[in-house]
Amino acid sequence: MTDNTTRLDHVVLWVRDPLAAARFYEEAVGLEALGVTEYAAGQVSFPSVRLNEETILDLAPLTMAPRMTMVPGAVESAGHPVNHVCLAMPEDRFDALRARLAERSVPVSGISHDLLGARGTARRSFYFRDPDGNVLEVRHYG
């Protein structure tokens, strides 16, 4: 990507078991897992999942927390998930995701309608938690 506009590159989620988290995001959420083989072989620090061509979620193991020294207090972020991450997707993927979560007995919220977001008003949205307690919102526009 050569476009120099400001974009979201990645979000790091703390997880207990990066391989299990990658499986969840791949199988239940429908995202492409990256670096799983390399992580299992000890070649990389964590796996990721791809949201789109320019954004990923890194699935960092809680055991990495002591190495988080980039800014004062970073180590204390371990185990404190963000409030939520919102994924916007086409309507058919939205419906398919909700069905996959139901198949796996993943609790989901009711559907909200007409919420404002980064792209305007979303027609529908719902929330769920991943196995590590991170909250995700999923919505579709138009």
Side-chain angles (χ1 to χ4, degrees):
M1 168 100 349
T2 58
D3 183 351
N4 286 325
T5 60
T6 302
R7 300 179 187 281
L8 180 63
D9 185 83
H10 69 278
V11 173
V12 178
L13 299 177
W14 288 116
V15 299
R16 289 182 300 274
D17 181 343
L19 295 175
R23 255 190 323 279
F24 174 82
Y25 279 98
E26 184 171 44
E27 295 172 5
V29 183
L31 302 178
E32 175 190 2
L34 306 169
V36 171
T37 303
E38 295 85 349
Y39 174 75
Q43 298 168 341
V44 296
S45 299
F46 48 82
S48 303
V49 290
R50 181 162 297 288
L51 291 176
N52 58 39
E53 61 278 354
E54 58 189 38
T55 308
I56 60 175
L57 296 178
D58 292 332
L59 306 171
L62 286 166
T63 55
M64 277 185 66
R67 298 192 310 244
M68 295 291 108
T69 58
M70 70 288 282
V71 295
V75 68
E76 285 86 24
S77 73
H80 298 280
V82 296
N83 180 272
H84 73 277
V85 174
C86 181
L87 308 177
M89 57 184 57
E91 185 174 8
D92 60 334
R93 289 196 59 206
F94 176 96
D95 293 330
L97 169 56
R98 195 162 169 91
R100 283 193 309 275
L101 293 172
E103 289 169 7
R104 290 166 172 76
S105 301
V106 175
V108 299
S109 71
I111 292 182
S112 298
H113 298 273
D114 302 322
L115 296 177
L116 291 177
R119 299 177 185 173
T121 302
R123 292 189 52 209
R124 297 184 298 160
S125 72
F126 70 92
Y127 295 83
F128 67 95
R129 287 185 183 273
D130 75 6
D132 291 285
N134 294 300
V135 178
L136 286 94
E137 176 186 1
V138 181
R139 59 175 49 194
H140 74 86
Y141 291 89

